[in-house]
């Protein structure tokens, strides 16, 4: 096992102990750091020796290869935590990620209902009893006005 992988393993062990990361998060961090390590190896560099310019160049390569902004942001988050550990452990005196800005992520578009979905939703309450009438009125009010549920329940009669 090479030095980069040992540092990655130590990093993940400490994160698990300190923050209780899920297996999926640990696997994502491992994957991000291993890919970066392999890219650095092609440049004859190691994780510990990486500079800000190396990290920026790697992010540029990821963007050029069509990786999403979220993927690049996750890598940068992994790298920030990793290099913070190296500084804390005295392996580095300076964190190479501090000068790198996080990618700007747009807001994802909300999921919308089809017209049939809306019709089924509005028809779902059983209007034969009073609760069903209440529920139907609430759904129609939400749909017609765009109120949030928290605003709906706070309405005064």
């Amino acid at each position: 096992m090479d030095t980069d992988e040992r540092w990655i393993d130590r990093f993940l062990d400490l994160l698990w102990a300190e923050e209780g990361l899920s297996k999926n998060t640990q696997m994502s961090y491992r994957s991000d750091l291993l890919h970066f390590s392999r890219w650095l190896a092609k440049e004859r560099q190691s994780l510990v020796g990486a500079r800000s310019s190396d990290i920026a160049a790697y992010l540029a390569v990821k963007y050029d290869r069509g990786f999403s902004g979220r993927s690049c942001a996750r890598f940068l988050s992994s790298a920030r935590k990793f290099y913070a550990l190296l500084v804390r452990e005295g392996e580095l005196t300076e964190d190479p990620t501090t000068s790198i800005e996080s990618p700007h992520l747009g807001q994802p578009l909300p999921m919308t209902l089809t017209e049939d979905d809306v019709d089924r939703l509005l028809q779902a309450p059983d209007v034969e009893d009073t609760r069903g009438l209440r529920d139907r009125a609430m759904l129609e009010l939400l749909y017609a006005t765009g109120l949030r549920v928290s605003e709906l329940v706070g309405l005064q009669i």
Side-chain angles (χ1 to χ4, degrees):
M1 181 182 293
D2 72 353
T3 305
D4 281 355
E5 285 189 51
R6 280 196 298 273
W7 272 112
I8 292 169
D9 287 342
R10 183 167 181 183
F11 163 69
L12 293 172
D13 288 344
L14 286 171
L15 269 185
W16 177 81
E18 293 172 0
E19 299 181 18
L21 294 180
S22 72
K23 283 285 184 204
N24 284 344
T25 302
Q26 289 178 45
M27 288 179 3
S28 295
Y29 282 6
R30 176 180 296 286
S31 174
D32 287 341
L33 293 170
L34 283 174
H35 283 107
F36 182 47
S37 173
R38 289 180 189 127
W39 183 83
L40 285 168
K42 291 177 190 171
E43 306 294 316
R44 301 197 188 289
Q45 188 62 274
S46 70
L47 283 174
V48 175
R51 300 175 308 273
S52 291
S53 58
D54 296 319
I55 296 167
Y58 180 70
L59 283 169
V61 167
K62 283 181 74 79
Y63 275 117
D64 289 346
R65 290 184 181 165
F67 284 84
S68 71
R70 293 203 187 286
S71 174
C72 293
R74 190 191 73 200
F75 159 73
L76 191 54
S77 173
S78 302
R80 283 194 171 125
K81 286 182 181 267
F82 178 76
Y83 286 108
L85 166 76
L86 292 180
V87 170
R88 190 176 83 194
E89 295 288 310
E91 189 68 26
L92 295 177
T93 57
E94 187 177 317
D95 181 343
T97 64
T98 55
S99 64
I100 298 176
E101 285 188 40
S102 294
H104 296 284
L105 304 176
Q107 292 291 329
L109 294 174
M111 298 298 287
T112 59
L113 299 174
T114 66
E115 193 172 328
D116 288 338
D117 292 337
V118 172
D119 285 338
R120 282 194 307 276
L121 181 65
L122 293 176
Q123 299 303 320
D126 179 12
V127 294
E128 297 299 319
D129 69 2
T130 55
R131 279 193 176 171
L133 284 172
R134 179 206 60 193
D135 292 349
R136 174 77 162 278
M138 289 176 17
L139 287 170
E140 287 188 13
L141 184 61
L142 285 170
Y143 180 67
T145 64
L147 284 174
R148 294 181 179 100
V149 172
S150 61
E151 295 169 327
L152 175 71
V153 298
L155 287 177
Q156 298 296 317
I157 296 178

